[in-house]
Amino acid sequence: MRVRNWLFERFHNAALSHGFEEYDAPVLETEELYTRKSGEEITQQLYNFEDKGGRKVALRPEMTPSLARMVMARSGALPLPIKWYSIPQCWRYERTQRGRGREHYQWNVDIWGSEGVEADAEIISVLVHFFRSVGLSSEDLVIRVSSRKVLEEVLGSLGVSGEVFSKTCIVIDKMDKLPADVIEAQLTDLGLSNEAISTIQKVLRITNLGDLEEALGESSEAFSELSSIFSLFESYGISDWTELDSSTVRGLAYYTGPVFEAYDRAGELRALCGGGRYDRLIGTLGGKDLPATGFGFGDMVVMELLQEKGLVPEIPHGAQDIVFGMGPELREAAMGVASSLRSRGRNVDLVLEDKRMKWVFKQAERVGAERLVMVMPEEWSNGIVKVKNLSTGEESEVPFEEL
Ligand code: HAM
């Protein structure tokens, strides 16, 4: 928990530093909120069941649908843009492996009601702020950025759009996990021609803006979106953290614009986080669309990376003073001393049982306390306590009121 709190504090601080406000949502939602027809893994990994009222419910596998539902319920009443973050626990019935658990905490940072790439760049700036705050550098990881519009334009010209398009993205997202022939077979099953498949393969290899412009043409919206976003990265001073990678498409159906994922440069771990723009999610829930962009960032992969780089700090227990009354007769006096220190804001670990001095010293060392405050018979009868500074070893006698 000490390490988790250390990590979460940095999640909070990165979001707060960019003017985001924290929100929360229920853990349990109606199953319907997550059932989409695009073949996403997430919909097959639901922890779902029937409640006592016969309602089909599910533990949330992600936060975005809950957020969309809440924003939709208050649409019109909330001043825009909405800049919200949260650190929800999420559940997915996954095969557990390195960096993947059946429950995880997922830091979510989203902006609603802002349609320009400025919002996407701001979201990525939050991410970089966090990475820097835990001591990671652009040599350790890279944020791969693309846009759903790249493939949308290419496939649109070949007559592929709508649901087939989002299903295509979900197949492409699995490209580095499945053999090429399996991917090709799945694309063919979606009705894609050989020409479309080979065009996709060509486009997905593009990793610079020049080649993208050549492939999509000057008037391409995808190109102008991505070139603006990369120029904003320069203004933020985060260019060295980002790379254009058109094979980044994301495995969720709802994305509509810029998408991104962060990876360790060594290429040993799964994505640390992922996100993008999803301007039409509320529409799929039956409401009026509102532009939105954001990311989800799990607590598991980043901990792997931090451990590998030796960046997880030793975090002390938190008790500042150990208070010890010598013998049962001084137990009550020790309680009074502890209460008084606590009311003045000190974190105090009071020794509750009869213990030997040796044990008390060991305990002080174990919790990393700054001071040992001893209530001894003779001194106490004069209103004095004995204080040992545990870093210098220095001992002094202090009147109780001056402690
Ligand atoms: P996602 O890519 O499914 O996106 O998950 C985002 C991140 O959550 C992953 O990159 C990973 O860090 C973490 N994660 C997901 N599943 C697990 C798991 N089983 N164990 C450990 N970590 C996991 C979403 O969920 C989107 N809703 C993110 C988003 C927010 N997009 C826009 N706003």
Side-chain angles (χ1 to χ4, degrees):
M1 280 303 293
R2 285 185 220 163
V3 175
R4 182 198 280 175
N5 289 341
W6 169 82
L7 179 74
F8 284 15
E9 196 183 316
R10 273 135 198 90
F11 284 158
H12 284 289
N13 289 345
L16 295 171
S17 75
H18 284 62
F20 284 74
E21 200 172 11
E22 192 175 8
Y23 70 96
D24 201 4
V27 166
L28 200 66
E29 291 275 13
T30 59
E31 183 189 300
E32 199 187 14
L33 190 63
Y34 307 110
T35 43
R36 301 184 289 249
K37 296 190 297 284
S38 305
E40 299 152 288
E41 262 184 343
I42 200 168
T43 58
Q44 294 143 25
Q45 296 168 334
L46 279 186
Y47 271 94
N48 50 351
F49 57 95
E50 222 173 80
D51 73 4
K52 289 195 172 71
R55 285 171 290 258
K56 289 186 166 181
V57 291
L59 293 177
R60 61 181 171 215
E62 57 163 337
M63 194 62 153
T64 314
S66 299
L67 176 59
R69 182 181 62 65
M70 297 194 307
V71 169
M72 183 170 100
R74 289 290 187 91
S75 71
L78 294 166
L80 299 176
I82 297 162
K83 291 170 68 181
W84 282 357
Y85 82 96
S86 191
I87 313 177
Q89 193 172 19
C90 298
W91 285 262
R92 297 186 191 185
Y93 196 82
E94 294 220 38
R95 198 162 59 82
T96 54
Q97 50 188 304
R98 193 176 182 201
R100 274 283 177 282
R102 291 196 170 150
E103 53 173 59
H104 72 284
Y105 285 90
Q106 196 194 87
W107 178 38
N108 275 249
V109 179
D110 293 86
I111 301 181
W112 287 79
S114 187
E115 59 186 1
V117 286
E118 289 77 7
D120 304 273
E122 176 82 348
I123 285 284
I124 291 173
S125 169
V126 176
L127 202 54
V128 174
H129 188 103
F130 163 78
F131 285 138
R132 287 182 173 139
S133 76
V134 290
L136 288 166
S137 79
S138 59
E139 278 168 26
D140 301 317
L141 44 89
V142 56
I143 304 166
R144 301 202 177 115
V145 184
S146 185
S147 171
R148 277 273 168 104
K149 287 185 185 153
V150 171
L151 270 187
E152 200 177 13
E153 284 177 16
V154 175
L155 292 177
S157 66
L158 298 168
V160 180
S161 61
E163 200 164 302
V164 179
F165 171 69
S166 40
K167 284 184 176 167
T168 303
C169 291
I170 287 153
V171 172
I172 292 172
D173 182 64
K174 293 185 282 196
M175 243 172 33
D176 50 356
K177 289 176 217 130
L178 295 174
D181 53 334
V182 175
I183 296 290
E184 276 172 35
Q186 290 187 2
L187 292 175
T188 307
D189 284 348
L190 289 176
L192 265 62
S193 63
N194 288 344
E195 187 201 356
I197 295 173
S198 73
T199 310
I200 291 174
Q201 285 163 340
K202 218 161 56 205
V203 169
L204 295 185
R205 281 196 286 270
I206 294 175
T207 54
N208 69 67
L209 284 169
D211 291 349
L212 190 69
E213 183 175 19
E214 202 172 300
L216 301 180
E218 237 173 67
S219 58
S220 151
E221 209 183 307
F223 169 72
S224 80
E225 184 175 276
L226 284 167
S227 58
S228 319
I229 209 169
F230 277 92
S231 102
L232 294 177
F233 292 156
E234 270 177 41
S235 313
Y236 276 104
I238 58 173
S239 295
D240 49 341
W241 293 80
T242 58
E243 262 172 33
L244 173 69
D245 180 342
S246 42
S247 71
T248 301
V249 292
R250 303 279 296 132
L252 294 164
Y254 48 64
Y255 293 109
T256 54
V259 280
F260 57 90
E261 279 171 348
Y263 286 92
D264 63 307
R265 292 232 189 229
E268 283 165 10
L269 303 168
R270 305 178 61 122
L272 279 91
C273 64
R277 179 164 284 282
Y278 52 102
D279 288 348
R280 293 191 289 275
L281 181 55
I282 291 191
T284 65
L285 301 176
K288 191 167 162 286
D289 281 329
L290 189 65
T293 182
F295 65 77
F297 190 126
D299 60 340
M300 293 180 73
V301 182
V302 71
M303 282 313 300
E304 296 275 340
L305 184 61
L306 290 169
Q307 259 147 17
E308 218 165 78
K309 304 271 171 196
L311 290 170
V312 182
E314 274 294 325
I315 300 158
H317 172 289
Q320 298 165 307
D321 295 328
I322 301 273
V323 173
F324 173 57
M326 184 81 88
E329 326 57 72
L330 288 175
R331 184 97 36 86
E332 284 174 27
M335 283 173 190
V337 171
S339 295
S340 155
L341 286 170
R342 285 168 180 158
S343 68
R344 276 174 277 160
R346 298 287 289 177
N347 296 336
V348 179
D349 185 21
L350 171 66
V351 178
L352 298 170
E353 292 157 341
D354 247 346
K355 293 285 184 193
R356 287 172 190 280
M357 215 49 226
K358 206 171 139 201
W359 184 92
V360 177
F361 277 115
K362 223 175 180 165
Q363 169 72 357
E365 200 180 318
R366 206 179 60 78
V367 306
E370 294 158 19
R371 305 190 301 179
L372 172 60
V373 178
M374 291 166 281
V375 186
M376 332 272 277
E378 207 166 302
E379 288 82 352
W380 186 248
S381 62
N382 296 319
I384 281 172
V385 291
K386 215 164 181 173
V387 176
K388 183 171 174 128
N389 179 323
L390 293 162
S391 54
T392 62
E394 204 180 303
E395 276 191 13
S396 51
E397 297 196 337
V398 183
F400 172 50
E401 312 79 60
E402 286 170 29
L403 191 60

